């Protein structure tokens, strides 16, 4: 381990100056196609549902807690209804290192509640935190002329493949003990393509929740943000050129002084040096 650390430190000092300082895609590669037309249509349908919604639950990927959040959601949804931010897939990050930094970032920017979940493992403590936060928000904010109704209704929103449907299923199992899926969930983006019918997730008080399709921001002009979304599998693979994705990953690792790919690919054992050329890396691996 010590030899490996010395290797990485020395490598960082020797080769950092040779690495690219910015990432570029060929001019003809248009990543704006990642925003299908149905997404804008579904966003309008979400807005139409707001009249009957008491709470908006935003689900995002904890690996990219800031990158990729759709600003249109804030303008059209959060500014009108109470909002909870749930960062899912927290098992894929170093919580001891990043949890407080992420919370501080959002609390400084006015977000009232930030929660971390792993809906695959369905950890009871995390799901109970979501339940408690939902109840507090619902019972302590105005109901917008819906005081005559004894039931509550929430809406889950977010970009594709962050775990919106999984959160609904997990909450339903956690609170009602029903293991059968209420909404379809999958390991790829785009499983939910339209605003769904509401699902009952709690009895006391009665709470219903609406699942919605993932909606990417149409204004992703930042190449690096778009690449991070693709690396986390939040964009349909058919829309992504894997060669450029691998090239961005190499760029990011080198910029982060993380040369662990040398050992992972068996390049370090060959006494080869880090490279900023994806073709060199692919050739060494093959």
């Amino acid at each position: 381990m010590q030899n490996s650390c010395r290797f990485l430190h020395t490598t960082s000092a020797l080769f950092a100056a040779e690495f690219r300082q910015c990432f570029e895609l060929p001019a003809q590669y248009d990543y704006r196609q990642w925003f299908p037309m149905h997404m804008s249509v579904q966003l309008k349908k979400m807005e139409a549902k707001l009249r009957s919604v008491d709470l908006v639950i935003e689900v995002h990927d904890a690996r990219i807690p800031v990158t990729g959040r759709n600003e249109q959601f804030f303008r059209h949804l959060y500014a009108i209804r109470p909002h909870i931010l749930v960062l899912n897939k927290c098992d894929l990050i170093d919580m001891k290192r990043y949890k407080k930094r992420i919370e501080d970032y959002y609390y400084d920017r006015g977000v009232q509640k930030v929660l971390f979940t792993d809906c695959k493992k369905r950890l009871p403590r995390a799901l109970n935190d979501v339940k408690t936060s939902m109840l507090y928000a619902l019972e302590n904010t105005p109901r917008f002329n819906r005081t005559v109704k004894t039931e509550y209704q929430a809406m889950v929103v977010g970009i594709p493949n962050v775990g919106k449907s999984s959160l609904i299923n997990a909450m339903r199992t956690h609170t009602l003990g029903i293991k059968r899926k209420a909404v379809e969930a999958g390991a790829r983006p785009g499983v939910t393509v339209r605003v769904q019918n509401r699902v009952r997730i709690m009895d006391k008080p009665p709470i219903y929740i609406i699942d919605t399709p993932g909606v990417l921001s149409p204004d992703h002009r930042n190449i690096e943000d778009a690449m991070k979304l693709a690396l986390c599998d939040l964009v349909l693979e058919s829309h992504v050129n894997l060669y450029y994705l691998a090239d961005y990953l190499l760029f990011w690792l080198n910029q982060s002084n993380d040369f662990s790919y040398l050992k992972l690919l068996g390049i370090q054992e060959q006494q080869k040096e880090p490279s900023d050329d994806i073709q060199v890396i692919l050739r060494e691996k093959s």
Side-chain angles (χ1 to χ4, degrees), residues 181-219:
K181 290 183 180 180
V183 291
E184 190 61 34
R188 60 181 178 83
V191 172
T192 304
V193 296
R194 60 182 60 86
V195 176
Q196 303 291 303
N197 294 326
R198 65 182 193 165
V199 174
R200 191 181 184 103
I201 63 163
M202 206 175 302
D203 282 336
K204 296 180 181 181
I207 298 178
Y208 294 83
I209 200 162
I210 302 171
D211 195 13
T212 64
V215 178
L216 289 167
S217 172
D219 301 321

Side-chain angles (χ1 to χ4, degrees), residues 86-280:
V86 176
L87 294 172
N88 192 32
K89 307 182 183 181
C90 66
D91 58 311
L92 301 179
I93 69 170
D94 185 342
M95 288 285 283
K96 291 182 179 179
R97 182 176 181 183
Y98 293 112
K99 182 177 185 291
K100 187 177 186 305
R101 291 165 61 181
I102 294 170
E103 290 174 336
D104 290 346
Y105 174 89
Y106 278 117
Y107 292 148
D108 288 346
R109 286 159 178 77
V111 176
Q112 298 297 312
K113 195 65 180 178
V114 180
L115 300 167
F116 292 83
T117 62
D118 173 10
C119 290
K120 280 191 175 181
K121 293 183 179 178
R122 300 186 176 186
L123 301 175
R125 181 176 178 179
L127 293 174
N128 198 56
D129 286 344
V130 175
K131 174 184 174 181
T132 301
S133 298
M134 286 180 61
L135 289 172
Y136 181 86
L138 290 169
E139 295 172 351
N140 291 277
T141 54
R143 296 205 64 197
F144 306 97
N145 301 320
R146 297 187 62 243
T147 54
V148 294
K149 290 196 173 184
T150 58
E151 65 185 41
Y152 293 99
Q153 188 155 273
M155 178 187 288
V156 173
V157 303
I159 65 175
N161 206 29
V162 290
K164 299 181 294 298
S165 300
S166 296
L167 177 64
I168 293 175
N169 290 328
M171 287 297 297
R172 188 166 179 257
T173 300
H174 179 70
T175 58
L176 299 179
I178 302 173
K179 295 183 178 180
R180 179 174 54 85
K181 290 183 180 180
V183 291
E184 190 61 34
R188 60 181 178 83
V191 172
T192 304
V193 296
R194 60 182 60 86
V195 176
Q196 303 291 303
N197 294 326
R198 65 182 193 165
V199 174
R200 191 181 184 103
I201 63 163
M202 206 175 302
D203 282 336
K204 296 180 181 181
I207 298 178
Y208 294 83
I209 200 162
I210 302 171
D211 195 13
T212 64
V215 178
L216 289 167
S217 172
D219 301 321
H220 275 305
R221 295 187 175 89
N222 185 315
I223 294 175
E224 289 201 41
D225 284 356
M227 290 291 111
K228 289 176 183 177
L229 290 172
L231 278 173
C232 291
D233 200 22
L234 306 180
V235 177
L236 280 174
E237 187 175 300
S238 59
H239 291 169
V240 179
N241 186 309
L242 296 182
Y243 174 84
Y244 296 130
L245 197 56
D247 191 27
Y248 175 74
L249 179 58
L250 176 64
F251 164 80
W252 186 87
L253 288 170
N254 286 334
Q255 287 293 311
S256 304
N257 292 329
D258 183 350
F259 306 106
S260 56
Y261 63 89
L262 295 173
K263 182 177 182 180
L264 180 65
L265 300 176
I267 297 174
Q268 181 178 337
E269 285 77 2
Q270 303 171 26
Q271 302 300 314
K272 299 290 185 178
E273 300 171 350
S275 174
D276 210 24
D277 187 332
I278 188 61
Q279 293 189 36
V280 171

